[in-house]
Amino acid sequence: MTPAREFASGEPRMPELLVDVVERIVVPVTALPGPEAGEPCADTFALEALGRRRKTSVIRVAIHTARVPR
């Protein structure tokens, strides 16, 4: 997690931008498909869980970075 913190702390708005990227790209790509896609399989649920975990990790880094004095 240290490289992520260093990257996020390089620019004051970076944590906000990273959360925005995750919400706009990672979440939609890893979200469960709609009913038209048929029955979801185990891989679908694993991908959705991975997307949620990635979002949580990025938000935690953003919160921590915002609290760390520069």
Side-chain angles (χ1 to χ4, degrees), residues 2-70:
T2 301
R5 283 190 189 119
E6 290 173 11
F7 180 72
S9 64
E11 163 67 36
R13 290 192 42 222
M14 188 60 69
E16 292 175 40
L17 295 173
L18 291 174
V19 171
D20 188 48
V21 166
V22 167
E23 289 177 345
R24 292 176 183 241
I25 298 172
V26 175
V27 172
V29 169
T30 61
L32 290 174
E36 68 281 349
E39 287 295 314
C41 63
D43 291 344
T44 306
F45 289 107
L47 185 61
E48 192 266 343
L50 179 66
R52 280 187 286 118
R53 179 69 180 143
R54 180 66 58 209
K55 180 180 176 183
T56 300
S57 298
V58 169
I59 289 172
R60 285 183 179 168
V61 168
I63 289 169
H64 176 73
T65 303
R67 291 182 183 165
V68 174
R70 292 184 177 88

